[in-house]
């Protein structure tokens, strides 16, 4: 069966344990178990031959409620169980293309969002993907826009805050803002651990992730 992984799916997980050298104490299955004996969210199996199997919620796109699976090798080092110690976490990348189009009173912004699929650490496909929400700020974090889809409904969770400064993108993933001096902007969405900040030269035309 063909296995594909999202960008950022090179997964490094540490479990804090007491510093011991006997790995036999850690062999077994770990998870957040339900009364019926099934794992609710995460299940990790550490095997005696130094391999592991992991099943958990997709941590790049958790809102899909799909499962993420991975397997590989594990070691015990300085009291920590480390999965796939030879691999590094993949980080998201953001590129910007700027273009001056005449003297206009607004700036046009278009966002292209891509997911890279890997098989055995080799890039096999790059897919243009619809995102649910992406946050973009201009110069300062308090000057932000939540870029969303018209079909994204609020209120499904009573504890979730309402989205302020929400902008629904059209079918071309494009919107406009009043013309201003933009020295830098930050971008954040699913799979990011923090904002990625870039500086501009002219006016923004296209942001490609």
């Amino acid at each position: 069966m063909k296995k594909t992984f999202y960008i950022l799916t090179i997964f490094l997980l540490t479990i804090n344990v007491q510093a011991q050298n006997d790995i036999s104490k850690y062999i077994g299955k770990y998870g957040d178990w339900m009364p019926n004996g099934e794992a609710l969210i995460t299940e990790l199996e550490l095997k005696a031959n130094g391999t592991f199997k992991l099943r958990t919620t997709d941590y790049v796109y958790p809102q899909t409620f799909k499962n993420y699976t991975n397997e590989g090798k594990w070691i015990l080092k300085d009291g920590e169980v480390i999965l796939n110690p030879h691999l590094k976490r993949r980080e998201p990348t953001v590129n910007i293309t700027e273009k001056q189009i005449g003297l206009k009173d607004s700036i046009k912004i278009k966002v292209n969002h891509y997911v890279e699929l890997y098989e055995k650490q080799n890039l096999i496909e790059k897919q243009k993907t619809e995102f649910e929400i992406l946050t973009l700020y201009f110069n300062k974090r308090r000057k932000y826009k939540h870029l969303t889809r018209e079909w994204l409904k609020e209120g499904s969770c009573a504890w979730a805050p309402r989205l302020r400064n929400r902008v629904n993108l059209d079918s071309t993933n494009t919107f406009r803002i009043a013309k201003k001096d933009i020295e830098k902007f930050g971008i954040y969405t699913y799979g990011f651990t923090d904002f990625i900040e870039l500086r501009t030269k002219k006016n923004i035309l296209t942001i490609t992730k």
Side-chain angles (χ1 to χ4, degrees):
M1 179 180 292
K2 183 179 178 181
K3 295 182 179 178
T4 57
F5 301 91
Y6 285 124
I7 189 172
L8 293 176
T9 54
I10 301 307
F11 196 76
L12 181 61
L13 175 70
T14 60
I15 301 176
N16 292 325
V17 294
Q18 293 181 353
Q20 300 184 38
N21 295 321
D22 185 4
I23 67 171
S24 64
K25 295 181 180 296
Y26 310 108
I27 295 170
K29 288 187 176 182
Y30 301 83
D32 38 5
W33 304 102
M34 298 174 62
N36 62 4
E38 295 183 0
L40 178 62
I41 299 176
T42 301
E43 179 180 326
L44 172 65
E45 181 180 6
L46 302 179
K47 299 181 179 181
N49 64 359
T51 64
F52 74 88
K53 287 187 176 181
L54 172 70
R55 178 184 61 79
T56 188
T57 301
D58 187 328
Y59 64 97
V60 177
Y61 296 105
Q63 80 283 8
T64 64
F65 299 102
K66 293 182 179 180
N67 284 336
Y68 162 80
T69 60
N70 196 4
E71 56 186 55
K73 297 181 179 180
W74 69 279
I75 64 172
L76 182 66
K77 181 179 180 180
D78 297 329
E80 292 184 336
V81 171
I82 304 178
L83 307 185
N84 285 337
H86 60 292
L87 300 178
K88 294 182 178 180
R89 180 186 179 96
R90 283 199 176 93
E91 299 294 342
T93 59
V94 177
N95 299 312
I96 177 174
T97 301
E98 304 175 54
K99 187 176 181 181
Q100 182 76 41
I101 305 178
L103 298 175
K104 297 186 178 181
D105 59 357
S106 65
I107 298 174
K108 179 181 178 182
I109 299 177
K110 181 176 182 179
V111 179
N112 295 320
H113 181 84
Y114 295 90
V115 170
E116 293 180 348
L117 304 179
Y118 289 81
E119 183 177 354
K120 296 181 179 179
Q121 312 311 312
N122 296 315
L123 178 63
I124 60 173
E125 189 175 355
K126 186 174 182 178
Q127 298 178 347
K128 191 172 183 178
T129 307
E130 295 286 335
F131 58 87
E132 284 190 8
I133 180 171
L134 182 148
T135 302
L136 185 68
Y137 73 78
F138 306 97
N139 297 331
K140 298 180 180 179
R141 289 199 181 191
R142 59 184 175 83
K143 297 181 179 180
Y144 63 87
K145 302 285 186 182
H146 288 311
L147 311 185
T148 64
R149 310 293 177 181
E150 187 176 0
W151 48 260
L152 180 63
K153 304 297 183 182
E154 297 183 61
S156 57
C157 177
W159 293 276
R162 293 188 61 82
L163 290 176
R164 294 185 175 183
N165 302 326
R166 175 175 175 173
V167 176
N168 289 330
L169 297 183
D170 60 22
S171 59
T172 65
N173 290 345
T174 302
F175 73 104
R176 291 181 180 273
I177 61 172
K179 192 169 184 179
K180 62 180 71 176
D181 292 329
I182 299 178
E183 297 180 355
K184 63 181 180 181
F185 70 90
I187 185 170
Y188 180 86
T189 187
Y190 287 111
F192 286 41
T193 56
D194 198 358
F195 278 93
I196 293 179
E197 190 173 273
L198 296 178
R199 292 190 173 274
T200 65
K201 295 180 180 178
K202 301 175 183 177
N203 288 322
I204 305 171
L205 177 68
T206 303
I207 304 168
T208 302
K209 171 189 176 291

